[in-house]
Amino acid sequence: MFDRSGLPSAVTIYEVGPRDGLQNETVILPTAVKVELIERLAASGLPAIEITSLVRPDKVPALADAEELLSALAPLLDSHRMVVLVPNQRGLDRALSAGVREVAVFASATESFAKANLNSSVAESLATYRPVIEQARAAGLLVRGYISMCFGDPWEGKVSTGQVTRVAESLFEFGITELSLGDTIGIATPGEVINLLDALDSRKIARSSLAVHFHDTYGQALSNTLTALLEGITTVDSSIAGLGGCPFAKSATGNLATEDLVWQLQGLGIVTGVDLEALIDTSNWLSRKTGLPLRSKAAIALSNRKDGSK
Ligand code: MG
């Protein structure tokens, strides 16, 4: 019997497919399909879903229907944890008028990615976020922070833990309620995960307020996740069908697939609340709607097993 000491008894899976996933795919889904996707994900038991981004519609055409989507999902905004990314004050204003309960802001550990993705320096982007976070908190919203490029950056190479802890401390000082540590190019290995979590620990940042966001570019996402769980992390980001390639690593393999994560956690006896069979049905439905092949290994294996039993 595997000794589970050190592992949490329950894990919160934070589903990023509808936002992080679809934003980075070339296929643009009709609003009605996105609505059905999100309803299916919620119905399968996923407790937290990032559903869209309130960026300028011309900047991210795949998510240009954010308001329409939010209005169609209005009942779910109250009953489920549904999170919307906001890039600035204008985005927060739109989120507030749409009745959103939780927003997310997206910071970078490195200057190169801040310049490429946010068109500002790290300090400038934090200065933009400060009033957004403060105002959101004052309005009673939860705020999730992201830090991307936490382990490596395509322009700068290795990222020091100090670069990450500096940004993390600022975001928590501004009032974020959860921080997701992004391995945006999927380059981390388990030892580096431990080093970063130790560094955050030394700055008195509680592990209960942290989430991990791994990409499978180098095949390390599940190893890194298991390492993070053994280190006391209990919130893990993943994406249905592994949606979302990585635009900076020229790889088809992007976000950790939710199906693979659920398979692992279920095998470990860790409670997620997710019905894996319902999730696999949604993977197959989504694959038909998008024309994209199944990318989750667990989804492929379980779907084949199902077909074989017919
Ligand atoms: Mg991602």
Side-chain angles (χ1 to χ4, degrees):
M1 179 82 185
F2 177 65
D3 178 12
R4 294 203 291 112
S5 58
L7 282 169
S9 56
V11 161
T12 300
I13 299 179
Y14 184 97
E15 170 63 46
V16 300
R19 200 282 300 168
D20 183 15
L22 292 181
Q23 178 175 337
N24 293 306
E25 296 286 350
T26 45
V27 58
I28 296 184
L29 295 183
T31 309
V33 175
K34 292 181 192 171
V35 169
E36 184 173 349
L37 170 63
I38 293 160
E39 288 172 344
R40 279 171 168 267
L41 293 170
S44 75
L46 285 160
I49 308 175
E50 195 162 295
I51 53 177
T52 190
S53 176
L54 286 162
V55 286
R56 255 176 45 198
D58 57 315
K59 292 239 172 166
V60 185
L63 306 181
D65 60 352
E67 256 90 5
E68 211 182 327
L69 182 83
L70 287 169
S71 116
L73 290 169
L76 274 180
L77 296 183
D78 288 331
S79 62
H80 279 71
R81 184 178 171 202
M82 297 275 162
V83 186
V84 175
L85 194 76
V86 296
N88 49 32
Q89 184 66 45
R90 174 83 188 107
L92 176 62
D93 293 342
R94 289 166 65 193
L96 288 169
S97 54
V100 169
R101 301 287 186 89
E102 180 168 351
V103 291
V105 297
F106 199 89
S108 169
T110 69
E111 295 295 343
S112 304
F113 187 66
K115 195 88 212 147
N117 196 52
L118 309 167
N119 197 27
S120 64
S121 68
V122 170
E124 284 163 354
S125 66
L126 289 173
T128 303
Y129 291 143
R130 179 172 204 149
V132 173
I133 296 167
E134 288 174 347
Q135 199 193 322
R137 297 291 290 129
L141 272 61
L142 297 174
V143 182
R144 174 178 240 239
Y146 280 99
I147 303 179
S148 53
M149 305 294 176
C150 284
F151 299 93
D153 172 302
W155 303 276
E156 299 179 23
K158 278 214 180 304
V159 171
S160 72
T161 57
Q163 286 172 272
V164 181
T165 55
R166 271 194 293 279
V167 177
E169 283 183 303
S170 295
L171 290 172
F172 277 111
E173 189 191 312
F174 302 161
I176 61 164
T177 44
E178 181 171 278
L179 175 65
S180 175
L181 304 164
D183 181 14
T184 317
I185 55 171
I187 204 164
T189 48
E192 292 164 310
V193 174
I194 295 171
N195 286 343
L196 178 57
L197 293 175
D198 281 350
L200 289 160
D201 215 31
S202 72
R203 304 299 179 99
K204 307 270 178 281
I205 294 173
R207 294 197 176 177
S208 56
S209 63
L210 295 174
V212 287
H213 183 114
F214 293 122
H215 282 206
D216 207 32
T217 324
Y218 292 78
Q220 303 297 301
L222 276 177
S223 308
N224 289 335
T225 300
L226 185 57
T227 301
L229 297 183
L230 286 163
E231 290 290 314
I233 296 295
T234 55
T235 301
V236 180
D237 296 3
S238 64
S239 178
I240 177 81
L243 279 182
C246 182
F248 300 98
K250 289 202 168 63
S251 162
T253 322
N255 289 305
L256 167 62
T258 306
E259 304 91 313
D260 293 355
L261 175 63
V262 173
W263 177 257
Q264 183 185 71
L265 296 175
Q266 194 169 286
L268 287 165
I270 294 173
V271 173
T272 63
V274 179
D275 176 342
L276 184 56
E277 201 171 326
L279 195 63
I280 300 295
D281 282 347
T282 297
S283 315
N284 283 288
W285 167 85
L286 184 63
S287 174
R288 291 193 297 274
K289 291 288 179 188
T290 58
L292 296 168
L294 292 176
R295 292 197 200 114
S296 149
K297 288 184 179 170
I300 295 167
L302 289 166
S303 303
N304 287 342
R305 196 199 268 185
K306 248 185 182 172
D307 291 346
S309 69
K310 269 178 200 163

